[in-house]
Amino acid sequence: MKKLLIGIAFLIIFLLIMLPFAGIAVGAFEQGPGAFWKALVRPEALHAMYLSLIIIVTVTALNAVVGVYLSLEMVRGSWIGRWVKPVVNALIDLPFAVSPVIAGLMVILLFGPDSLMGAFFEGHGTKIVYALPGMVIATLFITFPLMVREVVPLLQEIGEQSEEASKTLGAGPWRTFFQITWPSIRWGVVYGLVLTVARSLGEFGSILVVSGNIMGKTQTATTLVYEDAENFDLVSANSVALVLGAVSIAILLYLEWMKKRKEAQMHAH
Amino acid sequence: MASQAFKAASRSLLIAYLLLLVALPIATVYVKGFSLGWQPFWEEISGSVAWKSILLTIKLSVVSTLIQAVIGTIIAYVLVRYSFRGRTLLSSLVDLPFALPTSVAGLMFLTLLGPQSPIGDWLHRIGIELLYNQAAIVIGLTFVTFPFVVRTVQPLLEQLDASEEQASYTLGAGRGFTFRHVVFPAIVPGILAGSMLAFSRALAEFGAISLISGNLPGKTMVVSVFIYGETQNFRPEGAAALSAVLLTLSLAVLWTINALTRRKGRLA
């Protein structure tokens, strides 16, 4: 029975996860390492990776600041009424329920050329939809809950005592934050950051809708993979996908290492 | 005084950010969907292709969720109860579907099951087609929702004292009886919560299936792909009407999960 169940578990994971992933590696090197390298240094591939990088950096930075601040206000802020907090809480979770395609559609509806805000920005010379700003907004929306969901439980756990003590001893809010609060939420924030990086790197559906997928202009690494696959250029698609997959695995391993560290810390206390 | 003004300003900014980034976009979908009134909304939804895509999405999501409930429970059980070589590797691989970009997931199955790969070729020769049909969609959905059930059942199994199981054996119960009466009742909430999470993800999935589903209107076209098509044809009203339906479904599932987990304490 034991051997049978372990066998089944391995078989499922082999068929559903390992084999398909190995297929990418084989597909990428089907015509040798030269073709793999050529697919990666195509101008459109380089541009796509560059654009993905810009989106990741912008979104992660914004999410970090807003996410930590929102978590602080959600846990500590007494100005948010008792009945408002559950509403805000539900609001924070909403992006989890939204299909990526719908997230893209939202940005088009709000900032498209026919909309009020879109017309305003276009009048001032900034294109949002089918351009970088729209792609950043869509990714911001999708990744919004990640940071808050990591930091809020930590803030609740550490309680307010040390912060109150710091305040009583005459420290200002900034000093209290950096010397008292920050050290205890630091790893939660890092974890949230890594999750945000992973999600922004992998975001596809909303980007495809909002960017118009214009090659060499608004194409990211994930939409380039899609376009290559649509054109049945499987070697190119698999080459870029292999790089994306390798980065994802590195992120995954790092997250797991952090989780283990956290558990070890908890046992040590 | 200055710090008071700073506080007020930063709080207003936070509220504006929340409203502009989260609340307003979701409201817009409903407003646009109903912008022409009930009649056109209903016509968009009940158009034969649109309606079929909704039904197909629900059907295939249910199928992949059921598969997930079974294999997720098996894998969680194996990971918690047995120690064997390769356990850590197995456990790490469970999370891979969450880490991979969805377009990469779609490409994986396109490459593996396509005619150019030996496996796709072999399947073709023995008469099994797994690409551009409903089976392909179920495979894609099962892949992207893979970790949900495993990760919600695992903690419940860990909490369940192994001595309870042993007591059941000592009292003369067989494996089947013990599983049904001791283990299963303890992990049902986890299976349910995980399945519902998987279901809501399956409803919304786009990237992993758009490459492999073939997207035949009325046959293999799911709602998210249909919505994508509408945005490409510059038909925002149709896209918004269908999005409103899909969004309402997802929200209903999400809130049910929240209500269930809150009542029974923290599950997931």
Side-chain angles (χ1 to χ4, degrees):
Chain A
M1 190 66 184
K2 176 184 167 182
K3 280 197 178 136
L4 179 71
L5 281 178
I6 294 177
I8 293 175
F10 263 111
L11 187 70
I12 293 170
I13 290 193
F14 176 75
L15 284 180
L16 200 63
I17 298 176
M18 287 163 86
L19 190 65
F21 192 79
I24 290 190
V26 174
F29 287 103
E30 200 167 10
Q31 291 162 18
F36 168 74
W37 185 248
K38 226 173 101 190
L40 287 185
V41 295
R42 292 176 285 169
E44 57 263 37
L46 288 177
H47 187 270
M49 286 186 243
Y50 170 68
L51 208 57
S52 285
L53 189 70
I54 294 182
I55 294 175
I56 292 172
V57 171
T58 320
V59 167
T60 311
L62 266 171
N63 246 344
V65 176
V66 178
V68 171
Y69 179 51
L70 178 62
S71 311
L72 276 172
E73 293 287 10
M74 280 293 289
V75 180
R76 303 277 189 259
S78 47
W79 58 284
I80 310 176
R82 196 176 282 272
W83 62 273
V84 188
K85 274 197 183 164
V87 178
V88 179
N89 237 327
L91 207 61
I92 293 171
D93 274 337
L94 273 183
F96 279 153
V98 175
S99 172
V101 186
I102 300 182
L105 175 70
M106 287 169 173
V107 179
I108 290 190
L109 291 179
L110 267 182
F111 296 101
D114 304 331
S115 71
L116 211 67
M117 277 194 274
F120 171 80
F121 280 112
E122 212 140 293
H124 288 72
T126 319
K127 251 184 100 176
I128 292 194
V129 171
Y130 308 122
L132 188 60
M135 296 155 74
V136 169
I137 295 173
T139 314
L140 267 181
F141 175 85
I142 294 275
T143 56
F144 185 66
L146 295 172
M147 179 64 78
V148 184
R149 285 287 161 257
E150 285 303 316
V151 178
V152 162
L154 280 176
L155 281 173
Q156 282 166 341
E157 205 180 287
I158 58 170
E160 278 179 82
Q161 282 180 354
S162 324
E163 286 167 31
E164 304 251 300
S166 155
K167 215 182 283 173
T168 320
L169 293 170
W174 287 106
R175 191 162 169 204
T176 304
F177 176 77
F178 280 111
Q179 294 202 329
I180 308 295
T181 318
W182 176 250
S184 31
I185 62 168
R186 187 174 48 197
W187 290 108
V189 173
V190 173
Y191 200 85
L193 282 180
V194 179
L195 284 179
T196 310
V197 169
R199 194 64 219 266
S200 344
L201 175 72
E203 187 44 34
F204 165 68
S206 64
I207 296 283
L208 187 66
V209 172
V210 121
S211 69
N213 204 17
I214 309 161
M215 194 174 258
K217 274 207 175 117
T218 63
Q219 202 160 45
T220 64
T222 49
T223 56
L224 177 67
V225 168
Y226 176 77
E227 168 125 4
D228 284 340
E230 286 270 90
N231 298 334
F232 287 101
D233 183 0
L234 286 185
V235 172
S236 302
N238 278 316
S239 303
V240 182
L242 186 65
V243 173
L244 279 173
V247 177
S248 308
I249 289 179
I251 293 175
L252 187 74
L253 290 176
Y254 180 69
L255 287 176
E256 234 162 64
W257 175 77
M258 279 193 66
K259 234 189 276 175
K260 268 200 199 111
R261 223 187 77 113
K262 208 161 56 181
E263 271 162 27
Q265 263 180 352
M266 266 164 62
H267 288 304
H269 280 295
Chain B
M1 273 306 112
S3 82
Q4 284 297 323
F6 177 75
K7 242 182 205 169
S10 56
R11 282 174 182 172
S12 317
L13 216 64
L14 184 67
I15 296 169
Y17 188 88
L18 261 178
L19 286 178
L20 196 69
L21 192 79
V22 185
L24 192 62
I26 291 177
T28 316
V29 168
Y30 284 96
V31 170
K32 190 76 176 182
F34 290 105
S35 60
L36 307 169
W38 267 104
Q39 193 59 36
F41 173 79
W42 184 244
E43 274 163 20
E44 292 287 355
I45 301 303
S46 59
S48 73
V49 176
W51 185 241
K52 273 183 188 159
S53 76
I54 295 176
L55 291 181
L56 182 74
T57 307
I58 296 175
K59 183 180 105 182
L60 297 178
S61 300
V62 168
V63 172
S64 65
T65 305
L66 289 177
I67 295 175
Q68 206 58 261
V70 175
I71 63 177
T73 309
I74 293 177
I75 289 174
Y77 191 84
V78 168
L79 282 177
V80 174
R81 277 298 136 88
Y82 302 138
S83 62
F84 50 93
R85 281 182 64 180
R87 206 183 129 246
T88 331
L89 175 74
L90 207 65
S91 177
S92 307
L93 282 171
V94 167
D95 283 325
L96 189 63
F98 276 178
L100 276 187
T102 53
S103 61
V104 173
L107 173 71
M108 266 173 25
F109 291 108
L110 183 71
T111 310
L112 188 72
L113 302 173
Q116 288 169 342
S117 96
I119 293 168
D121 188 45
W122 176 71
L123 285 172
H124 178 75
R125 264 187 285 139
I126 61 169
I128 301 175
E129 295 294 338
L130 290 177
L131 214 51
Y132 306 128
N133 53 27
Q134 298 188 0
I137 303 177
V138 172
I139 293 175
L141 291 179
T142 310
F143 178 82
V144 290
T145 58
F146 195 75
F148 283 116
V149 177
V150 181
R151 293 299 179 224
T152 48
V153 171
Q154 235 178 340
L156 293 180
L157 268 174
E158 273 161 9
Q159 276 169 26
L160 180 71
D161 207 338
S163 61
E164 279 184 48
E165 266 176 84
Q166 277 152 15
S168 168
Y169 292 135
T170 318
L171 293 170
R175 277 180 193 284
F177 187 89
T178 306
F179 185 79
R180 257 176 296 148
H181 290 88
V182 179
V183 180
F184 191 65
I187 59 174
V188 161
I191 298 177
L192 279 179
S195 302
M196 288 180 84
L197 286 170
F199 181 69
S200 93
R201 174 72 200 262
L203 284 178
E205 187 50 36
F206 169 73
I209 42 185
S210 62
L211 275 176
I212 52 176
S213 63
N215 305 330
L216 229 62
K219 287 224 173 72
T220 59
M221 188 181 262
V222 294
V223 178
S224 58
V225 175
F226 186 83
I227 295 172
Y228 173 65
E230 295 282 82
T231 64
Q232 293 310 97
N233 299 330
F234 298 103
R235 290 196 66 245
E237 280 86 8
L242 240 81
S243 298
V245 175
L246 183 59
L247 202 53
T248 311
L249 254 171
S250 309
L251 288 178
V253 176
L254 191 76
W255 280 329
T256 315
I257 300 169
N258 278 348
L260 281 177
T261 46
R262 201 166 299 148
R263 191 146 25 104
K264 300 221 174 169
R266 282 181 54 129
L267 282 179

